[in-house]
Amino acid sequence: MSDKIIHLRGRLFITFDLEAVTGLHIGGSDSGIEIGGVDKTVIRDPLTNRPYVPGSSLKGKMRSLLEKYHAKPQNQRIGQGFIHSCQTDKEYATCDICQVFGVPGERNFGTPTRLVVRDVHMSDQSAEALEKANTDLPYTEVKTEVSIDRVTSAANPRQMERVPAGTVFSPAELVYSIYDGAGCDAQKDVQRLRVLAEGLQLLEDDYLGGQGSRGAGKIAIQNIKVAWRGGASYIGEAEMLGEYGDLGAFVQDLDKVIQTISAKLNA
Ligand SMILES: [Zn+2]
């Protein structure tokens, strides 16, 4: 048995609207498709049939972009490819990405993953607009992509289901926990909020889901709210620390947000 103590000091709640600026394709399971149907379907909430953005897609994309931006070694096999995951406690101690986004459970040096990313559902307003618009499929459009076989010149049309441009998913929620003890340092966690902001900026400049290099998946992060819960008592309303129209405004105020939380932890 270990007697290590991990002290959860508080949590930051970052909520925002996620707008599909261009058509968005986040793949669902393509099994069970009838012949002649769409071969690239989007993931849907089984209860409402509305497409949604899984938290895992959002988190995975941010992480992957951060790993590349910070030139982290791609050393962990996952499915067809590789991701970064610290192999030693020494590496991990200074790796903001693994501290924030997590390491596999079998690593005995891992501290709690700081970041939780919730699934993001389509806003009711967007859903109602799409219901009225009579799209190809419920809430989505079908785009035909044609690839040409370079040898035979045969056209190979494929159908791609996309959430139309302009659709808003809301609220997206990131929950960022701040810890002390057992290898955690709350003040370092507060500073690591920069990594999170970087991840959001990288994501906005890149794309979410499939077909990004062909124009799909550009997203905008809007109406950002930052709230805090922690300190002497965890119950009650989260304290609002700031509201921002877009990511640029949030990033501009980030130093102040970091100072505010840092001061709360020192109080
Ligand atoms: Zn790492």
Side-chain angles (χ1 to χ4, degrees), residues 63 72 84-87 91-92 95-99 103:
R63 178 180 191 142
K72 291 283 174 183
H84 164 72
S85 168
C86 281
Q87 309 287 319
E91 237 184 309
Y92 179 72
C95 181
D96 293 332
I97 296 170
C98 284
Q99 301 263 349
V103 286

Side-chain angles (χ1 to χ4, degrees), residues 93-257:
T94 57
C95 181
D96 293 332
I97 296 170
C98 284
Q99 301 263 349
V100 170
F101 288 83
V103 286
E106 66 267 20
R107 300 274 192 284
N108 56 12
F109 53 77
T111 51
T113 299
R114 311 302 195 275
L115 179 65
V116 168
V117 183
R118 311 273 196 219
D119 292 344
V120 197
H121 294 277
M122 190 179 282
S123 75
D124 286 338
Q125 208 183 0
S126 276
E128 281 157 24
L130 289 170
E131 280 161 17
K132 283 203 191 97
N134 247 325
T135 46
D136 303 326
L137 289 169
Y139 309 104
T140 60
E141 61 190 8
V142 176
K143 184 165 181 284
T144 305
E145 296 265 336
V146 180
S147 63
I148 307 293
D149 187 301
R150 296 290 185 270
V151 178
T152 66
S153 297
N156 177 26
R158 299 191 75 187
Q159 294 203 304
M160 163 82 63
E161 185 183 17
R162 310 199 308 186
V163 174
T167 304
V168 174
F169 296 84
S170 176
E173 187 182 38
L174 311 179
V175 182
Y176 186 83
S177 298
I178 291 172
Y179 292 99
D180 260 330
C184 301
D185 177 333
Q187 293 296 346
K188 278 191 188 160
D189 279 353
V190 181
Q191 295 298 327
R192 287 189 183 106
L193 280 170
R194 283 177 212 290
V195 177
L196 192 56
E198 242 177 26
L200 290 170
Q201 186 71 71
L202 284 161
L203 175 67
E204 212 181 48
D205 291 348
D206 205 88
Y207 63 88
L208 196 58
Q211 300 288 301
S213 67
R214 296 185 184 191
K218 179 177 167 67
I219 57 114
I221 293 166
Q222 293 159 340
N223 302 319
I224 303 163
K225 294 190 177 79
V226 180
W228 165 259
R229 191 180 268 135
S233 169
Y234 196 77
I235 53 176
E237 278 284 297
E239 179 189 348
M240 193 59 73
L241 299 185
E243 295 189 39
Y244 310 96
D246 58 24
L247 191 56
F250 170 59
V251 168
Q252 242 175 23
D253 206 43
L254 186 60
D255 282 338
K256 217 180 84 203
V257 172

